[in-house]
């Protein structure tokens, strides 16, 4: 990995509830509550044919309506993370919203890919956490496997909230399915378990536009994850300490070329 997309680890403090999405509770502790994950591909770069300029505003409305705990964002500009993070903070006053962004790499110049507005282009994640202060780690980078004929180099990013949960997002290669599959294998076989090793295991969700249909399940090792999809290329995976309780495809009113994918999870 190289440039701004190289793997980085940044320790920050966030508010994480002692019982929110943690491990099996001790006697007297509250059980983990349900978790709502919203995956959005907003096509907000400005250079893609699906760009409308309305996607962030429409996404903000979905956050207000559905009140997700985790929001995973693909094809966005860096400023979109802050804008939607402010909306989620309004939805959950008093809670902390952890924001993470990872730029895609630009093979042509070696730096981050840029949106038409000049901001960095890539993927982002919003994670709602509440309660006493706990350490949070943000980790991300570029995949070692890339399509060498595509100027956009694909990335991943995760938020690890100690004593709570780990959430990740990615937007895999859309040009060569074998490359997307290799990137998916890296995410679930190296990136996610690597962060568990460094920061400690937490129940984990990973969502994004995988550019893989049903074959996405094959890139996940063993039977350690459950999966819900939009019937196409967007998926939400969760470690098997979660149970799927609901899946909804959200109509984003042609603001982007993908539906929203809202997945409800409960602790096993």
């Amino acid at each position: 990995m190289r440039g701004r997309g190289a793997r980085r680890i940044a320790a920050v403090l966030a508010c994480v509830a002692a019982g929110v999405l943690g491990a099996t509770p001790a006697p007297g502790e509250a059980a983990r509550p349900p978790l709502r994950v919203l995956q959005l591909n907003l096509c907000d770069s400005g250079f893609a044919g699906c760009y409308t300029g309305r996607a962030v505003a429409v996404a903000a409305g979905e956050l207000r309506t559905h009140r997700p705990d985790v929001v995973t964002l693909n094809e966005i500009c860096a400023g979109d993370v802050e804008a939607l993070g402010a909306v989620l903070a309004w939805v959950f006053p008093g809670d902390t919203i952890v924001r993470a962004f990872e730029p895609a790499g630009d093979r042509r110049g070696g730096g981050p890919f840029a949106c038409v507005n000049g901001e960095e282009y890539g993927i982002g994640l919003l994670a709602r956490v509440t309660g006493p202060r706990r350490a949070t780690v943000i980790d991300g980078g570029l995949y070692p496997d890339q399509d060498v004929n595509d100027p956009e180099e694909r990335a991943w990013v995760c938020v690890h909230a100690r004593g709570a949960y780990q959430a990740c997002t990615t937007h895999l290669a859309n040009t060569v399915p074998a490359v997307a599959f290799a990137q998916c294998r890296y995410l679930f076989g190296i990136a996610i378990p690597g962060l568990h090793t460094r920061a400690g295991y937490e129940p984990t969700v990973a969502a994004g536009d995988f550019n893989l249909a049903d074959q996405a399940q094959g890139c996940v090792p063993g039977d350690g994850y459950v999966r819900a999809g939009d019937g196409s290329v967007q998926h939400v995976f969760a470690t098997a300490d979660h149970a799927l309780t609901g899946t909804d495809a959200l109509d984003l009113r042609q603001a982007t070329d993908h539906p929203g994918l809202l997945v409800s999870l409960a602790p096993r």
Side-chain angles (χ1 to χ4, degrees), residues 155-188:
W156 59 275
V157 69
C158 296
V159 169
H160 181 285
R162 184 177 299 169
Y165 64 94
Q166 181 169 307
C168 303
T169 191
T170 192
H171 180 213
L172 303 184
N174 70 327
T175 49
V176 182
V179 172
F181 193 87
Q183 292 169 348
C184 183
R185 290 293 296 269
Y186 181 93
L187 177 66
F188 289 101

Side-chain angles (χ1 to χ4, degrees), residues 10 32 37 59 65 72 76 139 150 188 190 202 214 229 241 246 252 255:
R32 290 189 290 119
V37 181
T65 298
T72 53
I76 58 163
D139 192 5
D150 184 355
F188 289 101
I190 296 177
E202 299 296 347
D214 291 340
D241 34 22
L252 300 183

Side-chain angles (χ1 to χ4, degrees), residues 25-118:
E29 289 184 348
R32 290 189 290 119
L35 177 70
R36 292 165 69 81
V37 181
L38 176 59
Q39 156 61 22
L40 297 168
N41 183 324
L42 296 183
C43 191
D44 201 42
S45 66
F47 55 74
C50 50
Y51 174 77
T52 66
R54 299 186 292 111
V56 173
V58 171
E62 300 300 324
L63 267 58
R64 297 185 188 100
T65 298
H66 297 288
R67 300 171 59 85
D69 303 288
V70 175
V71 182
T72 53
L73 301 165
N74 300 160
E75 293 194 46
I76 58 163
C77 306
D80 298 341
V81 176
E82 294 304 318
L84 292 174
V87 173
L88 203 61
W90 177 87
V91 171
F92 296 109
D95 293 349
T96 294
I97 306 303
V98 180
R99 300 160 171 86
F101 174 79
E102 188 70 28
D106 190 338
R107 184 181 304 278
R108 298 165 297 188
F113 221 92
C115 292
V116 169
N117 66 8

Side-chain angles (χ1 to χ4, degrees), residues 134-159:
R134 301 290 180 89
T136 299
V137 175
I138 299 173
D139 192 5
L142 297 181
Y143 290 106
D145 292 284
Q146 301 283 347
D147 176 5
V148 297
N149 295 313
D150 184 355
E152 180 185 342
E153 296 177 312
R154 305 302 174 119
W156 59 275
V157 69
C158 296
V159 169

